[in-house]
Amino acid sequence: MAQQIKAIRGMHDVLPEQAPLWRFLEDGVRDVLDGYGYAEMRMPIVEMTDLFKRSIGEVTDIVEKEMYSFEDRNGDSLTLRPEGTAGCVRACMENGLLHNQTQRVWYRGPMFRHERPQKGRYRQFHQIGVEAFGFKGPDIDLETIFITRRIWQRLGLTDLELQINSLGDAAERAAYRELLVAYLDGHRDRLDGDSLRRLDGNPLRILDSKNPEMQEIIEGAPNLFDQLGEETRRHFNELRAGLDAAGIPYRINPRLVRGLDYYNRTVYEWVTTRLGAQGTVCAGGRFDGLVEQLGGRPTPAVGFALGVERLIALLEEGGCNGSDLAPHAYLVLLGEGAERQGVIIAERLRELAPRLRLQVHCGGGGFKGQFKKADKSGAGHALVVGDDELKRGVLAIKPLREAAEQRELTVAEAAVLFNELIEKKG
Ligand code: ATP
Ligand code: MG
């Protein structure tokens, strides 16, 4: 036998049994975003490699070592998107969506990073990304945080901690960078390989090091906060006042710098202690310079990305079953005549009950076996058609989850019954 081909390491299938949780999460997030007036966008999964080099930054983990880049048949260098913001900005610019107007948009889909696979860290993973363009005040930063809080409420997630920080503006960051490099240079002998590499290109990223041996040096580093100018401080203080007014607890984490280069001013993360080391389920912030950096007019922007797999893990951990996708009814077919007519009868019923989830037993078999399958499908009712019912043009209906008598109904009567049932359930 030929050797079986397996999925690529770090890339996973979402199986039927997991689908209800994914659906619950995706539908919930979509509803919340609809409620805030954010419009959905869909971008290609593949972009020009330069887009990511220019936006994420040359000296970042993503661009240096995590991208799936390849040459296509024309010789262009293309990359499977490692994140969504760059492609979103590209698409908005290219289609004139940022011309003298503001935009609130969102998207979802797979992202690709060649990282070391572990719990909560995969090579293909999913994000739901939300971005707002053209607003410069802290009110929109707040709005995005309010959205995330409402998403947690909607999904029933508790115990998430909001961490915030301000990275300052370009000039403030540059000033801080000098201080930081001078400090770190003084401790060169104690820096690990990664940090030494980052010292020239991206020293702020050292603050984000996950290496425990680096923590002492990081603790002693000068504080970016002390370099912030008046405008930045005001922006940050207004953000804080808004969070206080809305009753959202938060922690200021001066070491929160984010992995991507393009952030400025407000950055935030929602973190849980329930998932081990990979505890950040949402990361966001302001990126006022990115549109200009990609060749557009200066356009303030803010956004966040949800890590879908981590949120799914959190929902699972909390015992959430996800959306109820089980059929309302399972059609049992006894005898050749009924077997032949089954899918046709089901269509008549669907015509009259458009929201009915109805699964037809195809492939024959006895009464017992079919009822076993009906039960396993999760359906609330079995509908039974045998030769006798077929002749008389009726269905026998039997509740599967409660003790109740079997009854006979016409297709039209069954439709009325299920329409009422579905209406009641909402
Ligand atoms: P981390 O510090 O965990 O590597 P990051 O700074 O690289 O995160 P972002 O690029 O901001 O993360 O992505 C936003 C969110 O997407 C993260 O908070 C996380 O929930 C999720 N995420 C990022 N990388 C992965 C991955 N490889 N596998 C699963 N989820 C991921
Ligand atoms: Mg990362």
Side-chain angles (χ1 to χ4, degrees), residues 61-62 66 113 115 121 205 259:
D61 286 352
I62 292 181
E66 294 175 359
R113 298 183 194 176
E115 305 199 62
R121 195 174 289 288
R205 202 39 179 127

Side-chain angles (χ1 to χ4, degrees), residues 3-313:
Q3 203 187 346
Q4 215 183 325
I5 296 174
K6 297 266 176 63
I8 293 163
R9 196 162 114 84
M11 305 200 182
H12 297 283
D13 306 300
V14 176
L15 301 175
E17 63 177 39
Q18 298 157 330
L21 262 188
W22 283 70
R23 186 72 77 80
F24 174 69
L25 184 147
E26 289 172 348
D27 287 356
V29 173
R30 186 199 54 208
D31 286 352
V32 170
L33 290 167
D34 287 348
Y36 282 81
Y38 284 65
E40 185 178 0
M41 281 179 73
R42 301 188 185 202
M43 290 87 65
I45 286 169
V46 184
E47 298 273 1
M48 301 295 285
T49 300
D50 277 345
L51 175 68
F52 302 114
K53 286 194 177 165
R54 274 169 62 182
S55 55
I56 298 170
E58 296 264 9
V59 202
T60 53
D61 286 352
I62 292 181
V63 172
E64 275 184 340
K65 52 186 190 197
E66 294 175 359
M67 292 207 300
Y68 281 89
S69 300
F70 59 97
E71 233 179 60
D72 82 349
R73 288 171 193 277
N74 307 327
D76 295 325
S77 178
L78 308 184
T79 294
L80 298 182
R81 63 181 183 197
E83 54 95 53
T85 301
C88 179
V89 169
R90 196 248 338 118
C92 285
M93 284 169 49
E94 195 170 336
N95 293 286
L97 302 188
L98 304 180
H99 261 298
N100 305 319
Q101 54 187 321
T102 57
Q103 287 293 343
R104 288 172 157 106
V105 296
W106 69 278
Y107 49 82
R108 68 173 174 209
M111 307 293 160
F112 302 85
R113 298 183 194 176
H114 195 274
E115 305 199 62
R116 191 170 68 77
Q118 54 197 290
K119 184 171 178 259
R121 195 174 289 288
Y122 311 104
R123 291 183 173 172
Q124 174 176 319
F125 62 98
H126 294 74
Q127 288 185 339
I128 300 176
V130 175
E131 327 277 7
F133 297 101
F135 306 94
K136 63 178 194 301
D139 50 350
I140 194 83
D141 303 14
L142 268 175
E143 179 175 277
T144 65
I145 296 176
F146 291 165
I147 291 174
T148 52
R149 179 190 47 177
R150 203 160 293 282
I151 289 171
W152 314 145
Q153 282 174 350
R154 169 74 185 239
L155 300 178
L157 295 175
T158 51
D159 294 342
L160 287 165
E161 183 191 54
L162 174 65
Q163 301 183 1
I164 62 171
N165 190 24
S166 177
L167 297 181
D169 289 336
E172 292 155 7
R173 272 219 280 189
Y176 173 68
R177 192 187 150 119
E178 271 181 38
L179 282 180
L180 181 65
V181 171
Y183 166 81
L184 291 170
D185 209 32
H187 295 84
R188 224 170 225 284
D189 49 324
R190 289 167 63 201
L191 297 185
D192 63 9
D194 264 348
S195 302
L196 279 172
R197 218 165 27 80
R198 288 171 178 154
L199 191 56
D200 289 328
N202 192 359
L204 261 69
R205 202 39 179 127
I206 297 174
L207 301 178
D208 198 27
S209 168
K210 311 264 189 306
N211 181 355
E213 284 165 27
M214 292 291 301
Q215 294 315 308
E216 201 184 318
I217 296 175
I218 291 171
E219 290 299 320
N223 208 329
L224 169 56
F225 226 79
D226 300 333
Q227 302 307 311
L228 299 185
E230 202 185 318
E231 269 296 300
T232 310
R233 276 171 197 269
R234 185 158 61 219
H235 190 103
F236 193 61
N237 288 336
E238 276 181 41
L239 177 79
R240 292 182 56 185
L243 291 172
D244 292 337
I248 301 181
Y250 59 87
R251 182 162 74 82
I252 297 176
N253 176 1
R255 305 293 172 224
L256 192 68
V257 293
R258 318 277 323 102
L260 317 180
D261 256 3
Y262 52 60
Y263 286 103
N264 69 306
R265 288 201 174 174
T266 309
V267 288
Y268 59 88
E269 289 190 0
W270 285 93
V271 184
T272 173
T273 52
R274 294 193 182 176
L275 295 177
Q278 266 54 252
T280 301
V281 295
C282 169
R286 205 159 248 293
F287 46 101
D288 294 334
L290 183 58
V291 175
E292 194 178 11
Q293 201 173 307
L294 291 174
R297 283 191 218 150
T299 308
V302 60
F304 65 82
L306 304 178
V308 175
E309 278 80 358
R310 293 182 192 178
L311 286 170
I312 294 280

Side-chain angles (χ1 to χ4, degrees), residues 333-346:
L333 301 165
L334 301 167
E336 262 182 48
E339 271 173 37
R340 260 201 307 276
Q341 291 292 312
V343 287
I344 294 161
I345 296 169

